[in-house]
Amino acid sequence: MSAEVVTPNNLDARLARENQPQPPETRERIEAEYEEEDDVETLKYGAKHVMMLIVPVSVCMMLVIAIIRTVTMYDQGPQQQVYLVYTPFNENNKDISTGSPVSDAVLNMLIVVSLVVVMTCFLVLLYKYRCYKIIYGWLFLSSLILLFMFSFIYLQEVIVRFNVAMDYITCGYIVWNFGVMGIISIFWKGPLILQQAYLVITSAFMALVFIKFLPEWTLWFLLGGIAIYDLFAVLCPKGPLRILVELAESRNEPIFPALIYSSTVMWTITGMTEPSDPNYNQLNESNSSSSPPGNTAPPPNRAPNNTAPNNTGTQEHDPEMEPAEQGVKLGLGDFIFYSVLVGKAATADDWNTVMACFFAILIGMCLTLLILAVVKRALPALPISIFVGILFFVGTRFCIKPFCDRLAIGQVYI
C-alpha cells in the first residue's frame, strides 16, 4: 500500500471525475490534504521499515555476543598464533612485522581492502556479462562452508564447553540436517522466516571468523577502512556497488539471495520503486565475504522462491501474485561488520562497552535511514554506524569504564 502522489494531472482527473467545479482555494486545500496524507504514509512505512532492519541486526549482534561469552574459542588470547593469510603483518610474526602495531595494522588493512575491491570488481564483471552460474556456484560454495564446516566447529566447542556426551554420528546428523535445510532455504524454496534466520546465522559465523583470525589492531583499522571504502563504492559514479545496483535495476533483476537480507517476499512482476513511493527507503548491498558492504538504495524486485526475473521491464498484473508490500533489503556485509564491532567489544569483558556499541550501531542505522528519506538517493549503510560505534567504544572503554571503576573502589554511588 502506498499513498497517492498529488500531481496536476491526477488532481485534475479526480476533480473532473467528481464533476464539481472547484475554486482555486478548494483546489489548494485538496492538494494540501493530499500532501499531508502522503507525509503520514511515508512516516508510517518509514518507521515500519526501520523496525524491520533493527530486529534482524539486533538478533545477529546478540547471537555473536552470546557465542563469544559462552565459547572461549573466539576470544583471542596471548597465545593466539594463527591468523588469516591476508594479514601477514602482526606483532607475533617477527620476520615480517615492522615493529609497530599501528603500521602493521595499516598494511594489513590495505591488503584486505584491496582484496575486497578486486573481488567486488570481479563480481560486477560476472554480473555484467551474465555469468550467473559462476556467481551462484561461488555463493553456493561459500554458504556450504559456513553452514557445514563452521557449524560443526561451533557444535564441537559447545559440546566441550558444557561437557555433553555425543558421538560423531549424532553430531554429523545434526550438522547435515542444519546445513541442507539452510542451503535449500537460501537457494531454492523455503519459508521466508527460515531464509532470514539462516542469513543471519551465516553473517554471525562470518563475523566470528574475523574476530578470531584478525589481529586486534588490524580489525579496528579494517572497520574504519571498509567504511571509507563503502563511501567510495556507493557514492562514486564509477563505484562498483553503484554499478551493480544500477545494472540490476536496468535489467529489473533481483540481486542474489545469498548476498542480501530481505524482510518480505518481493515479486518481479511489479514495477520498480519510484522516489515518490514511501517504500523507496530500502537498503540493498552486497556481502563482504563475496563482495564488500553496499548501499542504502531502492533494490530491484525479487521473485518469491528465487524464480526467474522478468527481463522485459514491463508491468504485468495478476491478482494472485500481487505482493502485500515492498520489503526492506540490507546487505549481509552490514550484518557482518556490525557484529564484528559488537563482538570485539564483547571480548573486552565489559558490558557497558558492549551495550554502548550495540545501541550506537542502531542509532547509526536510524540516522542513515533519516538521511535517505531527505536526500532520496543511494547512500552507504556502513559509515555512520561504524564510526559512531567506534566513537562509543573508545569513549566507554577508556573514559566511562575507568570512571565507574574509581567510583566503585571509592564506594561512591551516583
Side-chain angles (χ1 to χ4, degrees), residues 56-58 60-62 64-65 68 84 86-87 108-109 111-117 120 199-200 202-211 214-215 218-230 241 259 285-295 330-346 357-358 360-362 365 381-390 393:
V57 169
S58 300
C60 186
M61 293 190 295
M62 288 188 290
V64 171
I65 294 171
I68 289 177
L84 295 176
Y86 317 118
T87 58
N108 287 334
M109 181 267 293
I111 293 174
V112 176
V113 172
S114 300
L115 179 66
V116 169
V117 173
T120 306
L199 292 176
V200 169
T202 55
S203 301
F205 281 154
M206 197 65 207
L208 291 169
V209 171
F210 287 152
I211 295 171
L214 283 180
T218 299
L219 188 143
W220 289 111
F221 275 89
L222 178 61
L223 287 173
I226 208 71
I228 294 173
Y229 165 71
D230 197 20
L241 291 178
L259 294 177
E285 68 178 30
S286 301
N287 186 344
S288 69
S289 60
S290 302
S291 61
N295 62 303
L330 180 65
L332 297 189
D334 287 340
F335 282 85
I336 292 171
F337 287 105
Y338 293 161
S339 302
V340 166
L341 196 154
V342 175
K344 194 59 182 178
C357 294
F358 185 93
I361 288 174
L362 298 184
M365 288 178 55
L382 270 183
I384 296 179
S385 294
I386 293 298
F387 288 124
V388 172
I390 293 175
F393 175 85

Side-chain angles (χ1 to χ4, degrees), residues 213-359:
F213 296 108
L214 283 180
E216 184 172 2
W217 283 83
T218 299
L219 188 143
W220 289 111
F221 275 89
L222 178 61
L223 287 173
I226 208 71
I228 294 173
Y229 165 71
D230 197 20
L231 286 170
F232 159 77
V234 175
L235 299 182
C236 180
K238 298 299 182 181
L241 291 178
R242 182 166 182 173
I243 295 174
L244 180 65
V245 173
E246 289 177 351
L247 280 174
E249 290 180 352
S250 63
R251 298 176 183 177
N252 196 21
E253 293 178 352
I255 294 181
F256 301 95
L259 294 177
I260 54 175
Y261 171 94
S262 179
S263 61
T264 59
V265 176
M266 303 287 289
W267 306 88
T268 60
I269 59 173
T270 59
M272 299 298 294
T273 304
E274 297 295 334
S276 59
D277 193 309
N279 295 321
Y280 174 82
N281 300 337
Q282 302 171 356
L283 297 184
N284 188 352
E285 68 178 30
S286 301
N287 186 344
S288 69
S289 60
S290 302
S291 61
N295 62 303
T296 303
N301 294 332
R302 173 181 178 271
N305 301 330
N306 304 328
T307 55
N310 178 15
N311 295 325
T312 61
T314 59
Q315 296 185 11
E316 302 175 6
H317 180 73
D318 187 347
E320 297 182 357
M321 299 186 67
E322 182 110 9
E325 59 184 79
Q326 296 283 357
V328 187
K329 290 189 176 184
L330 180 65
L332 297 189
D334 287 340
F335 282 85
I336 292 171
F337 287 105
Y338 293 161
S339 302
V340 166
L341 196 154
V342 175
K344 194 59 182 178
T347 61
D349 198 19
D350 178 27
W351 282 106
N352 290 331
T353 305
V354 174
M355 298 309 296
C357 294
F358 185 93
F359 288 109

Side-chain angles (χ1 to χ4, degrees), residues 88-131:
F89 301 93
N90 59 74
E91 54 271 17
N92 293 330
N93 192 343
K94 302 302 181 182
D95 296 333
I96 304 180
S97 176
T98 62
S100 171
V102 174
S103 57
D104 289 343
V106 171
L107 292 174
N108 287 334
M109 181 267 293
L110 292 176
I111 293 174
V112 176
V113 172
S114 300
L115 179 66
V116 169
V117 173
V118 171
M119 298 306 292
T120 306
C121 295
F122 180 61
L123 176 65
V124 173
L125 288 176
L126 290 177
Y127 188 80
K128 181 178 181 180
Y129 294 104
R130 303 180 185 273
C131 301

